[in-house]
């Protein structure tokens, strides 16, 4: 039974900041956002979590293993080093979508994303150590079959990007509605998904759906673990088996 | 008449590197990619260009104003500081899509993205200073109308992300096929587009198309300049007029 | 009784790398070194430790609270993101100097700093959780009395730097020989020292020695804790008392 | 005839910021400072300059080739990405010490380093392109003879550091008073010096002085160029000759 701990990371009042007193240089905004994401990725990642950049001003993390004190330290450290601050909502559930919905509500109740007076709110609750189990997290790691040979080395870079992007848009929507899962593009042709207790058949279903809908062929490795890193690492190894053996779905359990 | 200089930035042999000798920690890959992008954004950006992360292993840049020597320095500097290297293709044209296609071909002809022996290739040609003009670049900056009020503060963070993402997927495809333009999501609810000589009516057309297709309401500011920063800065100011006045398309010329 | 855990962080074969195949751009070396240090500072720091840049290619850290698994993760993460690798030696003792000497010996025995075949060695032992106590670490935080008024706003920036530097050079030597302590300049006019069980009188002695030798007036706050951050935070608060009250030595115990 | 353009980079009101509202985590301050330095190093460095961290809150740069517009862009970019701002003073002269003194005076006249109302001042004047020459900058690159064999692999890491540091403290003082030069430790056993028109004999004099005073044996390569990078690159190549041939001073002109 999965029990995914999800954190919503929201930059406080970011939109207004980017145009105050007048629009800031785009390259600086891009740099600041990417580095902030990279720092959070290190902080969360070297404690066993995964964080996804999603919209950059709203990032979504799987944080099993991180305490509320860890979250507070992250807020403090960002406040000490960046011109912006973070609000965090933390919630848990068998469905990653529901956990994120709860985490989002906690942050929304504290104020609007563009509320000047809402700064560094920290809401929610982490799973206590005693309640953590080895199958709390299920991670699926998808990629596009032979993306380099079929796309990158053949099409222009934007048309390749469109193909990958259409595959991602379809998968994210389908996995969310049909399978209560959160899907994130993570670069290249890779998509990482935080899932509830799905079966091998569920993944076959998703892969066929995407192929039917937008003609992009995916393969997927799936793993379980006490945290996102362990589950994701098992998923990566499973995906290596797909690549080696030409299979479409490999689960590691 | 636009004359967009486009650079394809491709990490050499990146896919194989990420799984050699076995899969690397995802958080480290995310961190490394984001920081590499951020560094390129600073380098290109403080010379007046824009770079977009797109797939991270393949980034696309509008580099009017940057010489081939600048490109070479970027390669050298990345090689000195990262565990990976870059290949670069540079091409120019009235159509950004065609320019990118030419830039991509230059890199593809030098070898596959997963060719071990292709390292740090630098191909193509930059616009000579004497040939640069004040309307070489046209940049459009789109965002979603009242995204915070309609989505961020109302839906869960993933459903908001899906809405933004569907709007982006539709716009990128339409602008590419109907208008020879390259569209990039840049965080929040913002999409920046490198365009040929489009008219105000072309932007109205695109906005209506996206609204009809996926029910996401966009507004857009458009600017021209000798480089991406100048054109984009004008576009940002034009977009501020949309936000203030409730208009859908503002062009700064 | 202090029990300081010290880690020597040595970049493997760094000198030769900086000139292979020919000298690398100095700005890139500086950038890479500083960012590597910053990353290690975040990793160690958000686990309660302190790391000092010292020579950059050889950094010294107070790592009470970090396990050998933490050290291993640091090595792995750096290897995934930088063009260089780290060797680490970990040792413990009532004297920080002796602990560092032991940590150094462990690394030296594994091979020369310029040995091509010595990569990512990890040697030594961390204090077990059960043996950690609240006064394992003693940290002193020195600064120069009224450095801004006496130097920064009065002398040219290099002559100010010389004054600070002479004060540091004298203090580092004296604290090492007379008091078995490791002193590190950390920017501005601040020096942080990892000490064994010293008394208030020992600090008065050091301050007078530096004033007599090089005519630089120091003040110091001192704290104790289970790790460097806690001890150092107490020291910072004690130093604030010096600044407010005009005292020369404040200890927090 | 040298004509060194020197920039003083001073973080505005930094001391008070580090303890407001209470002392900030040391690891965060170290990280922020180091990354700020690294970013400035990239900005200045990929325009041909050198910047030295010196006290981190006061950095010193050799900026021949950078215009006042470049300096302004640096200020803007830092303001967009960091919680602190920079003031800059720029001055030029045949003596680097005098140029820095003039640059410092410009910043001091705008207000104290701890003046709340002085923010982002930009003062001074850059050398016009037409007046730049190929020998405007002279850079000397020193290192310690066989530092790895004599120190790093033999002594404990702190005693090695003390040796390097004493050599540096002596050289910086001597080069400043006897030779109007600015010396900076740049990591490892390397010291880079911005010099006026010195002769080979002047460098021999400095090396002998340091050896007599603190028994540290130095060697040095010296180069000239239109900017710091070109001069410094020639100096690095000259130093390689010292290393290969066992000579103490090599000049590249």
């Amino acid at each position: 039974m999965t029990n995914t701990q999800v954190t919503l990371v929201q930059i406080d009042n970011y939109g207004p900041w980017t145009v105050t007193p007048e629009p800031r240089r785009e390259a600086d905004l891009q740099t600041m956002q990417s580095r902030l994401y990279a720092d959070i990725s290190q902080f969360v990642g070297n404690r066993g979590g995964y964080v996804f950049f999603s919209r950059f001003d709203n990032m979504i993390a799987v944080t099993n293993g991180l305490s509320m004190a860890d979250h507070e330290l992250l807020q403090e450290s960002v406040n000490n080093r960046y011109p912006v601050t973070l609000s965090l909502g933390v919630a848990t559930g068998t469905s990653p979508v529901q956990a994120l919905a709860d985490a989002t509500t906690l942050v929304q109740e504290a104020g609007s994303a563009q509320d000047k007076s809402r700064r560094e709110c920290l809401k929610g609750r982490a799973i206590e150590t005693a309640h953590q189990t080895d199958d709390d997290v299920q991670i699926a790691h998808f990629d596009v079959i032979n993306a380099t040979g079929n796309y990158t080395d053949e099409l222009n870079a934007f048309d390749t990007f469109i193909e990958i992007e259409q595959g991602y848009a379809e998968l994210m929507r389908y996995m969310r509605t049909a399978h209560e899962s959160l899907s994130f593009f993570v670069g290249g042709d890779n998509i990482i998904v935080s899932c509830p207790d799905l079966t091998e058949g569920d993944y076959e279903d998703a892969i066929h759906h995407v192929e039917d809908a937008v003609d992009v062929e995916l393969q997927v490795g799936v793993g379980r673990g006490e945290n996102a890193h362990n589950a994701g690492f098992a998923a990566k190894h499973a995906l290596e088996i797909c690549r080696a053996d030409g299979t479409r779905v490999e689960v590691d359990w």
Side-chain angles (χ1 to χ4, degrees), chain A residues 10-13 71-80 84-88 110 115-123:
Chain A
Q10 189 172 87
I11 304 180
D12 294 316
N13 199 26
H71 283 80
E72 201 175 345
L73 178 55
L74 174 62
Q75 283 185 314
E76 180 184 350
S77 182
V78 167
N79 184 22
N80 281 338
V84 295
T85 56
L86 302 180
S87 283
L88 305 176
D115 183 336
K116 275 184 200 176
S117 59
R118 195 209 68 188
R119 264 175 64 101
E120 297 195 294
C121 91
L122 173 60
K123 300 288 179 185

PDB file of all heavy atoms in Angstrom, chain A residues 10-13 71-80 84-88 110 115-123:
ATOM      1  N   GLN A  10       5.809  26.631  -3.203  1.00  0.00           N
ATOM      2  CA  GLN A  10       5.322  27.783  -3.973  1.00  0.00           C
ATOM      3  C   GLN A  10       6.147  29.027  -3.628  1.00  0.00           C
ATOM      4  O   GLN A  10       6.283  29.386  -2.462  1.00  0.00           O
ATOM      5  CB  GLN A  10       3.850  28.042  -3.649  1.00  0.00           C
ATOM      6  CG  GLN A  10       3.196  29.071  -4.549  1.00  0.00           C
ATOM      7  CD  GLN A  10       1.678  29.150  -4.330  1.00  0.00           C
ATOM      8  OE1 GLN A  10       1.242  29.882  -3.462  1.00  0.00           O
ATOM      9  NE2 GLN A  10       0.910  28.402  -5.104  1.00  0.00           N
ATOM     10  N   ILE A  11       6.704  29.657  -4.658  1.00  0.00           N
ATOM     11  CA  ILE A  11       7.419  30.915  -4.422  1.00  0.00           C
ATOM     12  C   ILE A  11       6.385  31.981  -4.051  1.00  0.00           C
ATOM     13  O   ILE A  11       5.357  32.121  -4.723  1.00  0.00           O
ATOM     14  CB  ILE A  11       8.212  31.368  -5.662  1.00  0.00           C
ATOM     15  CG1 ILE A  11       9.188  30.279  -6.116  1.00  0.00           C
ATOM     16  CG2 ILE A  11       8.958  32.659  -5.370  1.00  0.00           C
ATOM     17  CD1 ILE A  11      10.020  30.652  -7.354  1.00  0.00           C
ATOM     18  N   ASP A  12       6.652  32.713  -2.977  1.00  0.00           N
ATOM     19  CA  ASP A  12       5.690  33.716  -2.500  1.00  0.00           C
ATOM     20  C   ASP A  12       5.655  34.929  -3.424  1.00  0.00           C
ATOM     21  O   ASP A  12       6.702  35.539  -3.690  1.00  0.00           O
ATOM     22  CB  ASP A  12       6.077  34.194  -1.087  1.00  0.00           C
ATOM     23  CG  ASP A  12       5.959  33.089  -0.051  1.00  0.00           C
ATOM     24  OD1 ASP A  12       4.949  32.357  -0.080  1.00  0.00           O
ATOM     25  OD2 ASP A  12       6.881  32.952   0.785  1.00  0.00           O
ATOM     26  N   ASN A  13       4.456  35.256  -3.865  1.00  0.00           N
ATOM     27  CA  ASN A  13       4.200  36.511  -4.581  1.00  0.00           C
ATOM     28  C   ASN A  13       5.157  36.709  -5.752  1.00  0.00           C
ATOM     29  O   ASN A  13       5.634  37.816  -6.010  1.00  0.00           O
ATOM     30  CB  ASN A  13       4.342  37.683  -3.581  1.00  0.00           C
ATOM     31  CG  ASN A  13       3.655  38.950  -4.082  1.00  0.00           C
ATOM     32  OD1 ASN A  13       2.711  38.881  -4.873  1.00  0.00           O
ATOM     33  ND2 ASN A  13       4.137  40.099  -3.642  1.00  0.00           N
ATOM     34  N   HIS A  71      11.843  20.620   6.248  1.00  0.00           N
ATOM     35  CA  HIS A  71      11.156  21.613   5.411  1.00  0.00           C
ATOM     36  C   HIS A  71      11.438  23.034   5.905  1.00  0.00           C
ATOM     37  O   HIS A  71      11.632  23.957   5.110  1.00  0.00           O
ATOM     38  CB  HIS A  71       9.644  21.343   5.414  1.00  0.00           C
ATOM     39  CG  HIS A  71       9.210  20.197   4.551  1.00  0.00           C
ATOM     40  ND1 HIS A  71       9.319  18.879   4.938  1.00  0.00           N
ATOM     41  CD2 HIS A  71       8.675  20.165   3.296  1.00  0.00           C
ATOM     42  CE1 HIS A  71       8.854  18.091   3.970  1.00  0.00           C
ATOM     43  NE2 HIS A  71       8.458  18.856   2.963  1.00  0.00           N
ATOM     44  N   GLU A  72      11.453  23.179   7.217  1.00  0.00           N
ATOM     45  CA  GLU A  72      11.689  24.506   7.801  1.00  0.00           C
ATOM     46  C   GLU A  72      13.111  24.987   7.493  1.00  0.00           C
ATOM     47  O   GLU A  72      13.344  26.159   7.189  1.00  0.00           O
ATOM     48  CB  GLU A  72      11.477  24.411   9.319  1.00  0.00           C
ATOM     49  CG  GLU A  72      11.204  25.736   9.974  1.00  0.00           C
ATOM     50  CD  GLU A  72      10.895  25.559  11.449  1.00  0.00           C
ATOM     51  OE1 GLU A  72      10.620  24.411  11.899  1.00  0.00           O
ATOM     52  OE2 GLU A  72      10.960  26.570  12.183  1.00  0.00           O
ATOM     53  N   LEU A  73      14.049  24.043   7.560  1.00  0.00           N
ATOM     54  CA  LEU A  73      15.439  24.382   7.257  1.00  0.00           C
ATOM     55  C   LEU A  73      15.580  24.802   5.791  1.00  0.00           C
ATOM     56  O   LEU A  73      16.315  25.756   5.470  1.00  0.00           O
ATOM     57  CB  LEU A  73      16.335  23.172   7.551  1.00  0.00           C
ATOM     58  CG  LEU A  73      17.823  23.306   7.257  1.00  0.00           C
ATOM     59  CD1 LEU A  73      18.432  24.502   7.977  1.00  0.00           C
ATOM     60  CD2 LEU A  73      18.558  22.025   7.680  1.00  0.00           C
ATOM     61  N   LEU A  74      14.864  24.127   4.914  1.00  0.00           N
ATOM     62  CA  LEU A  74      14.889  24.497   3.493  1.00  0.00           C
ATOM     63  C   LEU A  74      14.383  25.930   3.306  1.00  0.00           C
ATOM     64  O   LEU A  74      15.001  26.734   2.590  1.00  0.00           O
ATOM     65  CB  LEU A  74      14.028  23.516   2.680  1.00  0.00           C
ATOM     66  CG  LEU A  74      13.834  23.860   1.199  1.00  0.00           C
ATOM     67  CD1 LEU A  74      15.156  23.874   0.448  1.00  0.00           C
ATOM     68  CD2 LEU A  74      12.863  22.881   0.536  1.00  0.00           C
ATOM     69  N   GLN A  75      13.287  26.259   3.960  1.00  0.00           N
ATOM     70  CA  GLN A  75      12.763  27.630   3.872  1.00  0.00           C
ATOM     71  C   GLN A  75      13.786  28.652   4.342  1.00  0.00           C
ATOM     72  O   GLN A  75      14.001  29.685   3.708  1.00  0.00           O
ATOM     73  CB  GLN A  75      11.514  27.781   4.746  1.00  0.00           C
ATOM     74  CG  GLN A  75      10.256  27.191   4.170  1.00  0.00           C
ATOM     75  CD  GLN A  75       9.046  27.492   5.037  1.00  0.00           C
ATOM     76  OE1 GLN A  75       9.103  27.340   6.258  1.00  0.00           O
ATOM     77  NE2 GLN A  75       7.946  27.890   4.420  1.00  0.00           N
ATOM     78  N   GLU A  76      14.402  28.355   5.491  1.00  0.00           N
ATOM     79  CA  GLU A  76      15.367  29.291   6.073  1.00  0.00           C
ATOM     80  C   GLU A  76      16.562  29.483   5.145  1.00  0.00           C
ATOM     81  O   GLU A  76      17.019  30.608   4.912  1.00  0.00           O
ATOM     82  CB  GLU A  76      15.844  28.759   7.436  1.00  0.00           C
ATOM     83  CG  GLU A  76      16.857  29.665   8.120  1.00  0.00           C
ATOM     84  CD  GLU A  76      17.388  29.066   9.415  1.00  0.00           C
ATOM     85  OE1 GLU A  76      16.836  28.042   9.889  1.00  0.00           O
ATOM     86  OE2 GLU A  76      18.378  29.612   9.962  1.00  0.00           O
ATOM     87  N   SER A  77      17.050  28.369   4.593  1.00  0.00           N
ATOM     88  CA  SER A  77      18.241  28.432   3.755  1.00  0.00           C
ATOM     89  C   SER A  77      17.960  29.212   2.460  1.00  0.00           C
ATOM     90  O   SER A  77      18.792  29.998   2.002  1.00  0.00           O
ATOM     91  CB  SER A  77      18.720  27.011   3.445  1.00  0.00           C
ATOM     92  OG  SER A  77      19.891  27.047   2.681  1.00  0.00           O
ATOM     93  N   VAL A  78      16.797  29.009   1.872  1.00  0.00           N
ATOM     94  CA  VAL A  78      16.435  29.745   0.660  1.00  0.00           C
ATOM     95  C   VAL A  78      16.295  31.238   0.985  1.00  0.00           C
ATOM     96  O   VAL A  78      16.791  32.101   0.255  1.00  0.00           O
ATOM     97  CB  VAL A  78      15.141  29.174   0.035  1.00  0.00           C
ATOM     98  CG1 VAL A  78      14.583  30.110  -1.033  1.00  0.00           C
ATOM     99  CG2 VAL A  78      15.425  27.796  -0.552  1.00  0.00           C
ATOM    100  N   ASN A  79      15.645  31.539   2.082  1.00  0.00           N
ATOM    101  CA  ASN A  79      15.475  32.937   2.504  1.00  0.00           C
ATOM    102  C   ASN A  79      16.825  33.628   2.687  1.00  0.00           C
ATOM    103  O   ASN A  79      16.968  34.822   2.420  1.00  0.00           O
ATOM    104  CB  ASN A  79      14.682  32.976   3.808  1.00  0.00           C
ATOM    105  CG  ASN A  79      14.380  34.395   4.255  1.00  0.00           C
ATOM    106  OD1 ASN A  79      14.390  35.331   3.463  1.00  0.00           O
ATOM    107  ND2 ASN A  79      14.130  34.557   5.541  1.00  0.00           N
ATOM    108  N   ASN A  80      17.832  32.883   3.127  1.00  0.00           N
ATOM    109  CA  ASN A  80      19.157  33.465   3.352  1.00  0.00           C
ATOM    110  C   ASN A  80      19.949  33.688   2.064  1.00  0.00           C
ATOM    111  O   ASN A  80      20.974  34.363   2.082  1.00  0.00           O
ATOM    112  CB  ASN A  80      19.995  32.546   4.257  1.00  0.00           C
ATOM    113  CG  ASN A  80      19.622  32.684   5.721  1.00  0.00           C
ATOM    114  OD1 ASN A  80      19.069  33.702   6.130  1.00  0.00           O
ATOM    115  ND2 ASN A  80      19.924  31.658   6.511  1.00  0.00           N
ATOM    116  N   VAL A  84      13.805  35.734  -3.096  1.00  0.00           N
ATOM    117  CA  VAL A  84      12.412  35.314  -2.912  1.00  0.00           C
ATOM    118  C   VAL A  84      12.322  34.329  -1.751  1.00  0.00           C
ATOM    119  O   VAL A  84      13.341  33.802  -1.293  1.00  0.00           O
ATOM    120  CB  VAL A  84      11.851  34.639  -4.194  1.00  0.00           C
ATOM    121  CG1 VAL A  84      11.789  35.641  -5.345  1.00  0.00           C
ATOM    122  CG2 VAL A  84      12.679  33.416  -4.575  1.00  0.00           C
ATOM    123  N   THR A  85      11.088  34.076  -1.304  1.00  0.00           N
ATOM    124  CA  THR A  85      10.860  33.113  -0.216  1.00  0.00           C
ATOM    125  C   THR A  85       9.891  32.035  -0.689  1.00  0.00           C
ATOM    126  O   THR A  85       9.229  32.177  -1.706  1.00  0.00           O
ATOM    127  CB  THR A  85      10.261  33.816   1.022  1.00  0.00           C
ATOM    128  OG1 THR A  85       9.055  34.485   0.625  1.00  0.00           O
ATOM    129  CG2 THR A  85      11.232  34.829   1.609  1.00  0.00           C
ATOM    130  N   LEU A  86       9.816  30.953   0.096  1.00  0.00           N
ATOM    131  CA  LEU A  86       8.985  29.802  -0.256  1.00  0.00           C
ATOM    132  C   LEU A  86       7.893  29.550   0.768  1.00  0.00           C
ATOM    133  O   LEU A  86       8.138  29.634   1.974  1.00  0.00           O
ATOM    134  CB  LEU A  86       9.836  28.522  -0.286  1.00  0.00           C
ATOM    135  CG  LEU A  86      11.032  28.450  -1.202  1.00  0.00           C
ATOM    136  CD1 LEU A  86      11.713  27.092  -1.043  1.00  0.00           C
ATOM    137  CD2 LEU A  86      10.627  28.685  -2.643  1.00  0.00           C
ATOM    138  N   SER A  87       6.695  29.196   0.302  1.00  0.00           N
ATOM    139  CA  SER A  87       5.687  28.586   1.174  1.00  0.00           C
ATOM    140  C   SER A  87       5.587  27.111   0.834  1.00  0.00           C
ATOM    141  O   SER A  87       5.717  26.724  -0.332  1.00  0.00           O
ATOM    142  CB  SER A  87       4.331  29.269   1.000  1.00  0.00           C
ATOM    143  OG  SER A  87       4.340  30.510   1.682  1.00  0.00           O
ATOM    144  N   LEU A  88       5.343  26.301   1.871  1.00  0.00           N
ATOM    145  CA  LEU A  88       5.335  24.850   1.698  1.00  0.00           C
ATOM    146  C   LEU A  88       4.075  24.246   2.307  1.00  0.00           C
ATOM    147  O   LEU A  88       3.690  24.601   3.418  1.00  0.00           O
ATOM    148  CB  LEU A  88       6.554  24.231   2.395  1.00  0.00           C
ATOM    149  CG  LEU A  88       7.940  24.761   2.016  1.00  0.00           C
ATOM    150  CD1 LEU A  88       9.019  24.093   2.881  1.00  0.00           C
ATOM    151  CD2 LEU A  88       8.232  24.507   0.539  1.00  0.00           C
ATOM    152  N   ALA A 110      -3.762  29.566   3.439  1.00  0.00           N
ATOM    153  CA  ALA A 110      -2.892  30.546   4.106  1.00  0.00           C
ATOM    154  C   ALA A 110      -2.849  31.870   3.350  1.00  0.00           C
ATOM    155  O   ALA A 110      -2.385  32.877   3.873  1.00  0.00           O
ATOM    156  CB  ALA A 110      -1.488  29.976   4.261  1.00  0.00           C
ATOM    157  N   ASP A 115      -0.400  37.063  -2.628  1.00  0.00           N
ATOM    158  CA  ASP A 115      -0.720  37.822  -1.419  1.00  0.00           C
ATOM    159  C   ASP A 115       0.584  38.331  -0.814  1.00  0.00           C
ATOM    160  O   ASP A 115       1.455  37.548  -0.455  1.00  0.00           O
ATOM    161  CB  ASP A 115      -1.427  36.862  -0.447  1.00  0.00           C
ATOM    162  CG  ASP A 115      -1.885  37.543   0.820  1.00  0.00           C
ATOM    163  OD1 ASP A 115      -1.314  38.595   1.184  1.00  0.00           O
ATOM    164  OD2 ASP A 115      -2.795  37.012   1.460  1.00  0.00           O
ATOM    165  N   LYS A 116       0.715  39.653  -0.724  1.00  0.00           N
ATOM    166  CA  LYS A 116       1.969  40.225  -0.210  1.00  0.00           C
ATOM    167  C   LYS A 116       2.264  39.837   1.230  1.00  0.00           C
ATOM    168  O   LYS A 116       3.407  39.803   1.663  1.00  0.00           O
ATOM    169  CB  LYS A 116       1.903  41.754  -0.258  1.00  0.00           C
ATOM    170  CG  LYS A 116       2.309  42.322  -1.598  1.00  0.00           C
ATOM    171  CD  LYS A 116       2.303  43.839  -1.533  1.00  0.00           C
ATOM    172  CE  LYS A 116       2.226  44.408  -2.940  1.00  0.00           C
ATOM    173  NZ  LYS A 116       2.116  45.859  -2.944  1.00  0.00           N
ATOM    174  N   SER A 117       1.200  39.595   2.000  1.00  0.00           N
ATOM    175  CA  SER A 117       1.424  39.358   3.427  1.00  0.00           C
ATOM    176  C   SER A 117       1.632  37.870   3.741  1.00  0.00           C
ATOM    177  O   SER A 117       1.964  37.523   4.865  1.00  0.00           O
ATOM    178  CB  SER A 117       0.249  39.904   4.238  1.00  0.00           C
ATOM    179  OG  SER A 117      -0.935  39.263   3.827  1.00  0.00           O
ATOM    180  N   ARG A 118       1.436  36.989   2.751  1.00  0.00           N
ATOM    181  CA  ARG A 118       1.696  35.572   3.003  1.00  0.00           C
ATOM    182  C   ARG A 118       3.135  35.259   2.619  1.00  0.00           C
ATOM    183  O   ARG A 118       3.486  35.304   1.452  1.00  0.00           O
ATOM    184  CB  ARG A 118       0.754  34.695   2.165  1.00  0.00           C
ATOM    185  CG  ARG A 118       0.718  33.225   2.658  1.00  0.00           C
ATOM    186  CD  ARG A 118       0.419  32.254   1.539  1.00  0.00           C
ATOM    187  NE  ARG A 118       1.524  32.190   0.589  1.00  0.00           N
ATOM    188  CZ  ARG A 118       1.468  31.541  -0.574  1.00  0.00           C
ATOM    189  NH1 ARG A 118       0.372  30.932  -0.950  1.00  0.00           N
ATOM    190  NH2 ARG A 118       2.532  31.517  -1.393  1.00  0.00           N
ATOM    191  N   ARG A 119       3.931  34.970   3.602  1.00  0.00           N
ATOM    192  CA  ARG A 119       5.354  34.695   3.369  1.00  0.00           C
ATOM    193  C   ARG A 119       5.790  33.502   4.189  1.00  0.00           C
ATOM    194  O   ARG A 119       5.529  33.449   5.399  1.00  0.00           O
ATOM    195  CB  ARG A 119       6.206  35.891   3.810  1.00  0.00           C
ATOM    196  CG  ARG A 119       6.583  36.861   2.710  1.00  0.00           C
ATOM    197  CD  ARG A 119       7.322  38.036   3.334  1.00  0.00           C
ATOM    198  NE  ARG A 119       8.584  37.581   3.933  1.00  0.00           N
ATOM    199  CZ  ARG A 119       9.775  37.729   3.355  1.00  0.00           C
ATOM    200  NH1 ARG A 119       9.866  38.340   2.192  1.00  0.00           N
ATOM    201  NH2 ARG A 119      10.864  37.298   3.945  1.00  0.00           N
ATOM    202  N   GLU A 120       6.451  32.573   3.558  1.00  0.00           N
ATOM    203  CA  GLU A 120       7.055  31.430   4.248  1.00  0.00           C
ATOM    204  C   GLU A 120       6.078  30.657   5.113  1.00  0.00           C
ATOM    205  O   GLU A 120       6.426  30.245   6.218  1.00  0.00           O
ATOM    206  CB  GLU A 120       8.239  31.894   5.109  1.00  0.00           C
ATOM    207  CG  GLU A 120       9.367  32.504   4.287  1.00  0.00           C
ATOM    208  CD  GLU A 120      10.652  32.612   5.084  1.00  0.00           C
ATOM    209  OE1 GLU A 120      10.687  33.382   6.038  1.00  0.00           O
ATOM    210  OE2 GLU A 120      11.611  31.897   4.741  1.00  0.00           O
ATOM    211  N   CYS A 121       4.853  30.464   4.625  1.00  0.00           N
ATOM    212  CA  CYS A 121       3.953  29.610   5.408  1.00  0.00           C
ATOM    213  C   CYS A 121       4.428  28.163   5.288  1.00  0.00           C
ATOM    214  O   CYS A 121       4.976  27.739   4.254  1.00  0.00           O
ATOM    215  CB  CYS A 121       2.502  29.803   4.999  1.00  0.00           C
ATOM    216  SG  CYS A 121       1.905  28.718   3.703  1.00  0.00           S
ATOM    217  N   LEU A 122       4.289  27.430   6.368  1.00  0.00           N
ATOM    218  CA  LEU A 122       4.685  26.014   6.410  1.00  0.00           C
ATOM    219  C   LEU A 122       3.542  25.252   7.060  1.00  0.00           C
ATOM    220  O   LEU A 122       3.276  25.437   8.255  1.00  0.00           O
ATOM    221  CB  LEU A 122       5.979  25.849   7.213  1.00  0.00           C
ATOM    222  CG  LEU A 122       6.434  24.407   7.494  1.00  0.00           C
ATOM    223  CD1 LEU A 122       6.681  23.635   6.208  1.00  0.00           C
ATOM    224  CD2 LEU A 122       7.702  24.400   8.350  1.00  0.00           C
ATOM    225  N   LYS A 123       2.850  24.450   6.278  1.00  0.00           N
ATOM    226  CA  LYS A 123       1.638  23.800   6.761  1.00  0.00           C
ATOM    227  C   LYS A 123       1.698  22.308   6.484  1.00  0.00           C
ATOM    228  O   LYS A 123       2.281  21.880   5.483  1.00  0.00           O
ATOM    229  CB  LYS A 123       0.407  24.364   6.035  1.00  0.00           C
ATOM    230  CG  LYS A 123       0.192  25.858   6.209  1.00  0.00           C
ATOM    231  CD  LYS A 123      -0.280  26.198   7.604  1.00  0.00           C
ATOM    232  CE  LYS A 123      -0.458  27.705   7.749  1.00  0.00           C
ATOM    233  NZ  LYS A 123      -0.803  28.073   9.130  1.00  0.00           N
TER     234      LYS A 123
END
